[in-house]
Amino acid sequence: MYVDKVIKNTFFTEVNGVKIRVYDSLREGFEYDTPLTLVFLHGLPGQISNWRYQLDYFKKLYRTVAYDQRGFGMSDKPKKVELKDFLKDLDAILEKLGIPVENAVLIGHSFGGLVAQTYACGKDLKGLVLIGSVAWK
């Protein structure tokens, strides 16, 4: 079952004092002809497995990354969280995984879309995909 594969192929990394669970298709041995990386950001509530079908399809074509945002899934659950924390986490994860912003396509659902569009402001992203996203003024 795919969900089991995703869980088996995840790892934890610490960013900004919080342990975050991450999925990266490179860890499954895939090799890609393009530096393009799809970064999936789940909504609230959510977790990596929300993207299981998209990861299964796109990992064959592009490097795919998804993670349990702080407070969700198997990531740490701090008592207080602000939007800026999610933005800093995304920045740190891209850096730790060696993904230049200009090669990243952020794909955000609901709250993940809010994180993606806020992060994209002033950044030279490769692309931005919003699915049922909320907006912030």
Side-chain angles (χ1 to χ4, degrees):
M1 181 177 223
Y2 184 77
V3 175
D4 294 336
K5 280 192 209 173
V6 170
I7 292 169
K8 289 178 186 171
N9 292 311
T10 62
F11 60 96
F12 289 90
T13 189
E14 188 167 321
V15 296
N16 305 310
V18 176
K19 187 172 68 173
I20 301 288
R21 184 176 70 140
V22 179
Y23 168 81
D24 183 350
S25 62
L26 284 184
R27 293 210 170 195
E28 288 191 66
F30 286 95
E31 294 182 17
Y32 304 102
D33 294 333
T34 176
L36 183 77
T37 302
L38 307 181
V39 181
F40 293 86
L41 301 167
H42 64 75
L44 302 182
Q47 60 187 353
I48 293 169
S49 64
N50 295 146
W51 297 109
R52 64 187 172 273
Y53 301 112
Q54 292 80 9
L55 295 173
D56 193 39
Y57 179 81
F58 286 110
K59 72 181 180 184
K60 298 167 192 158
L61 305 168
Y62 306 103
R63 181 179 182 187
T64 56
V65 170
Y67 61 96
D68 290 341
Q69 296 192 69
R70 63 171 55 219
F72 297 93
M74 295 174 70
S75 290
D76 284 347
K77 295 163 182 59
K79 291 183 183 190
K80 183 179 177 188
V81 179
E82 298 179 26
L83 179 59
K84 67 181 179 180
D85 298 318
F86 294 99
L87 301 172
K88 289 178 184 177
D89 291 347
L90 176 54
D91 219 16
I93 287 169
L94 292 178
E95 185 177 326
K96 278 194 170 211
L97 297 179
I99 302 168
V101 173
E102 60 271 9
N103 293 339
V105 175
L106 300 183
I107 302 168
H109 172 249
S110 187
F111 178 76
L114 171 65
V115 173
Q117 47 184 314
T118 305
Y119 183 84
C121 292
K123 304 269 185 187
D124 191 21
L125 286 171
K126 187 70 167 180
L128 179 64
V129 178
L130 305 173
I131 305 160
S133 180
V134 295
W136 191 261
K137 57 179 181 169

